[in-house]
Amino acid sequence: MNDLLIPLKEDSRFPMYRQIYDHIKNEIQKGKMKAGEKLPSSRLLAKNLCISRSTVDMAYDQLSAEGYIEAVPCKGYYVCQMEGLYFSTEKKVFPEKNPGQEIPAPAYRWDFALNGIAPGGFPQNTWRKLSREVLSQEGDSLFQLGDPCGEPGIRLAVAEYLHSARGVDCDPDQIIIGAGNDYLLMLLWVILGKNRKIAMENPTYLSAYYDLVHMGCQIISVGQDSQGICIEDLEKNGADTVYVMPSHQFPMGMVMPLKRRMELLKWAQDQEKRYIIEDDYDSEFRYKGQPIPALAGFDQKGCVIYLGTFSKSLAPSVRVSYMVLPPALMEAYLSLGHLFSVTVSRTDQKILELFLREGYYERHLNRMRAVYKNKHDLMVRYLKEMSHICAFSGENAGVHLVLRFCNGLTEKEGIRRAKEAGIKVYGVSDYRIRQVEKEENMVLLGYATMEEKDIEEAMKKLKEIWKI
Amino acid sequence: MNDLLIPLKEDSRFPMYRQIYDHIKNEIQKGKMKAGEKLPSSRLLAKNLCISRSTVDMAYDQLSAEGYIEAVPCKGYYVCQMEGLYFSTEKKVFPEKNPGQEIPAPAYRWDFALNGIAPGGFPQNTWRKLSREVLSQEGDSLFQLGDPCGEPGIRLAVAEYLHSARGVDCDPDQIIIGAGNDYLLMLLWVILGKNRKIAMENPTYLSAYYDLVHMGCQIISVGQDSQGICIEDLEKNGADTVYVMPSHQFPMGMVMPLKRRMELLKWAQDQEKRYIIEDDYDSEFRYKGQPIPALAGFDQKGCVIYLGTFSKSLAPSVRVSYMVLPPALMEAYLSLGHLFSVTVSRTDQKILELFLREGYYERHLNRMRAVYKNKHDLMVRYLKEMSHICAFSGENAGVHLVLRFCNGLTEKEGIRRAKEAGIKVYGVSDYRIRQVEKEENMVLLGYATMEEKDIEEAMKKLKEIWKI
DNA sequence: GGGTATTTGTCCGTATGTATG
DNA sequence: TCATACATACGGACAAATACC
């Protein structure tokens, strides 16, 4: 018991007390120290190791708390009877994924990616500060189970935001917080019942389409024009639910004008139990003219379900979305008898609540709007010089543009030529629910993740290589 | 422009530059400062306000970044043309929920809650430290979109944990990270296909039951004995999938012995496409004997789907669970053509990865096991004194016990008497898929959230009031 | 056998370095 | 640049058990 020689490394990344702890724990687990055996006293060990007693104390405390040893006052520390050591000592080594292989160099020098945010766009320091604040709070009630629909605080903050920024008046009790739109759509499918015929535009946000398809939903593909979804198509196809993105349709980029919005609302109100799922996609970023209030803002009869997210406006890694249910649907959900527990950690909810409440979100959006407007304007400037090659649409909102070749170039050929020049652009056909007969001639360019310098370089190249 | 008087408060919770920023922004939004108007120079304003010029600069910089004002070199700052002010100035005030009412006093002095963790059990300091480390990392790639199945790092760490602690050998590529078991079960339902007949014990973990029911799943209720689920019932009812909790069944608390595990595996392997969903509930907490490896550890033919979570072992607010899919199912999921994006924020994943990798999780589990063992032993000591009132089971594992009255008391009456004494206990009938004919006479006592002092007080009372 | 010195776990205040704002 | 908070490490004071004379 006295020959306990613990090799202490000054420069270890672990503190001394941890090294002592680890060493003794290993001795016990390997069976070198048996149950009942007495450990050297903290003073003795401290002297032998030439460190302070309290350092040894800390290690011993930890070991007692975990049940490895037991403290007998005025006598000493003794190794406990460990029944069923939990962790086997052997460690499994997993083979490297690419043994010996180099990570393949990225094929593209420039990527007009459609998701992602501007580099440096995430308010990292603020987030860290708020995270610290939240985690420093007294008490650990924060770590017990929370409200299944989301913390009351963040729901109130979101309701206030929706009121002032999106013209949506709702009660915090109508809001459900969830980890991403995918999840909320799954939830919505449960709430709405499984026999709905949901209409979606073609092309549309394919992720939402697949979410619903994989749940077993019946999807009807309907047409769209420059104003958005075709209402007649809705009637014709017998849909009872429709998924739309009025503020900036993905991928086509059109903003649904007020008139069409009203027509759509009228369609929903025409019959009982018709619902509009309004994905308020990219509503945060508008560069010209008055923002149009969300459809849900005009809804008097409770037929609009509003979906919003922080994943696009803050960062894709922040998995927080929200859904505003009409009172009747919320009641239906609550009366299911079992609520799905909330999917966002309470700490993240608290951080976001502070972020909203203290005005950081508003300022963040203002800053990002300015950043994206610059990139947007740059893109538009170059595209105007390319009028002999393509027309473009989807401008003045969002963070991507739609190009339609007018020189005979096809989508496929356009993408191929861009790829050869090291530029990744995206085809509209990737977002179609159902392919169209005639050859596609449109591509999508997202500019959120691109630096302005890169936009200039890439656009200059595109102008060259897309010439016929 | 020169009469810009900004009321600065020294003791405000906002820094000075923020106060200047807020004031000017308000002036612009309210229209008191119009587009094109010149702002006082930073030197002049600083002099007037008796503060440093750099403070004014900070405010002006912020305002320029957000597009409110524009810096014209060698001339000054000018108010920009703001098209479509985003945030309406009026704030909506939401009515208080209980106007004038007091929050109702909790009806119970003691609560043998079945969820929740020990007070102070969450390693708050460690979590905060790791959170800071993760958020301090260079670059913001962390905030871009991550792997839809979860970060490779945490999947590897979980695979290593499962190998050493649960005897499960799997590749990190078989693991899917998700926000809670509810979500993973929804996902699983998509992966397995919708026409499955899923068998569940009665009683069982009702949350999982409702998850599946609400998805439209066909559930078959099967019997159980002291060893766990009845295999013959499975055969008889034509189930092709079964949901079990071999390590500590909820709510009945039995641990499935090795023999039954093997029989269950044999059942699954008997026919093609039979699956076992193994919810490794409470496997972290075992107080006696060797831990039994998870079912998935014996599975050679890929018919066990393993579910694990950190919500119970760390804190309910940490919404991270994981699912190990047999290779064939993982392949099926990946080939769906669209993966649901991961529901856990990348920061949380990274924090948890470090928590596992640096050995904190192992130590945390050891500590909690010691804490819960003390409470467990205390409960058992009191229950042994109550043998004239009830028998108990579910001991030596988990954080709750099952009591069966042997003095004629019914569940209902037992709960009622406890309530009168200010003690909340839970009925087994709350967890039944289908009620049984004969009167229930079992209650559940969770001890995780109770302090030892409270356990003693409450148990002494129960011993009195449950006497016949 | 009783007094005393020693050893022991435990509690507490304090110094130092680092991270953070 | 300065102030604050925190984890870590240190050493003193105390009371109880033990060993020794």
Side-chain angles (χ1 to χ4, degrees), chain A residues 132 173 181 200 227 234 272 280 289 362-363 374 398:
Chain A
R132 222 179 103 84
D173 286 343
N181 280 10
M200 296 181 101
Q227 313 255 297
L234 278 183
E272 283 291 301
D280 206 17
E362 179 187 340
R363 294 159 67 213
N374 283 339

Side-chain angles (χ1 to χ4, degrees), chain A residues 41-43 53 57 74 76-77 129:
Chain A
S41 78
S42 59
R43 284 160 222 269
R53 258 177 19 232
D57 274 349
C74 313
Y77 285 93
K129 191 188 101 183

Side-chain angles (χ1 to χ4, degrees), chain A residues 316-417:
Chain A
S317 69
V318 175
R319 304 305 302 164
V320 184
S321 296
Y322 46 92
M323 174 162 70
V324 184
L325 291 177
L329 283 182
M330 193 66 190
E331 226 165 275
Y333 177 54
L334 293 175
S335 68
L336 278 183
H338 161 265
L339 307 183
F340 296 89
S341 43
V342 69
T343 44
V344 184
S345 72
R346 285 180 83 186
T347 48
D348 278 2
Q349 291 186 60
K350 283 277 174 196
I351 295 170
L352 201 44
E353 179 190 336
L354 286 180
F355 197 79
L356 287 162
R357 177 136 297 145
E358 312 234 305
Y360 292 110
Y361 188 55
E362 179 187 340
R363 294 159 67 213
H364 169 75
L365 285 185
N366 285 336
R367 195 169 65 86
M368 294 315 290
R369 205 174 295 124
V371 166
Y372 287 143
K373 185 178 190 324
N374 283 339
K375 297 185 180 181
H376 168 269
D377 292 351
L378 198 60
M379 291 287 294
V380 168
R381 188 151 75 244
Y382 277 99
L383 285 172
K384 278 187 177 156
E385 293 173 10
M386 290 164 71
S387 59
H388 53 294
I389 296 172
C390 58
F392 66 96
S393 59
E395 72 272 31
N396 294 327
V399 286
H400 79 277
L401 292 168
V402 187
L403 275 59
R404 181 192 296 269
F405 294 116
C406 55
N407 61 354
L409 219 58
T410 62
E411 170 191 307
K412 223 169 141 185
E413 176 66 9
I415 293 174
R416 199 194 58 76
R417 289 195 189 179

Side-chain angles (χ1 to χ4, degrees), chain B residues 289-333:
Chain B
Q290 290 296 323
I292 304 176
L295 260 173
F298 300 109
D299 176 33
Q300 300 294 327
K301 302 209 174 156
C303 45
V304 177
I305 297 146
Y306 180 96
L307 278 174
T309 183
F310 294 101
S311 299
K312 192 77 188 281
S313 57
L314 258 172
S317 68
V318 175
R319 304 306 300 165
V320 185
S321 295
Y322 46 91
M323 174 161 70
V324 184
L325 291 178
L329 283 183
M330 193 67 190
E331 225 166 273
Y333 176 54

Side-chain angles (χ1 to χ4, degrees), chain B residues 237-251:
Chain B
N237 286 306
D240 53 22
T241 312
V242 58
Y243 171 89
V244 283
M245 293 164 273
S247 57
H248 195 230
Q249 204 263 355
F250 188 89

